Amino acid sequence: MAKLTQDELLAQFEEMTLIELSEFVKAFEEKFDVTAAAAAPVVVAGGAAGGAAEAVEEKDEFDVILTGAGEKKIQVIKVVRELTSLGLKEAKDLVDGTPKPVLEKVNKEAADKAKEALEGAGASVEVK
């Protein structure tokens, strides 16, 4: 079997859905007995105007906050489970305890997809 380069692996991950990627991460954690944790973002600002450059930068990490479950709570719980790796009880507790974050520090595209899926199930969602 040929060894894939980092760029080839990233290209494969780009084609995966959030659910497929979540399942892959779980399998990877089990296979290698590790835990995937979000790395702290590194901000590199050039020159003496570092503080000003940070203030002008476009936001690239978003939190998807569930503000209400609506009338179709069961469908919302299903969507929460699809978006996260939570079990049934944890997803139900999250939906019951709104407002709560469903996804944290995700890119704009993932936040929009999650918001669309949750609103499609009847939930009220806020992206920050």
Side-chain angles (χ1 to χ4, degrees), residues 8-89:
E8 291 170 331
L9 283 171
L10 289 173
Q12 290 297 315
F13 291 135
E14 284 179 338
E15 296 175 11
M16 297 175 107
T17 66
L18 287 175
I19 296 168
E20 291 170 334
L21 193 55
S22 174
E23 290 170 353
F24 170 78
V25 170
K26 281 190 246 179
F28 187 91
E29 288 174 338
E30 289 173 11
K31 171 86 175 169
F32 297 104
D33 194 30
V34 294
T35 302
V42 177
V43 177
V44 178
E54 288 178 30
V56 175
E57 274 187 36
E58 184 178 329
K59 186 173 179 179
D60 61 351
E61 289 184 341
F62 298 88
D63 294 341
V64 179
I65 315 248
L66 182 67
T67 57
E71 295 179 13
K72 300 177 181 178
K73 191 162 103 174
I74 293 173
Q75 280 77 10
V76 174
I77 291 170
K78 288 180 182 179
V79 172
V80 168
R81 289 191 67 206
E82 290 173 5
L83 294 172
T84 65
S85 59
L86 296 176
L88 181 60
K89 182 183 182 324

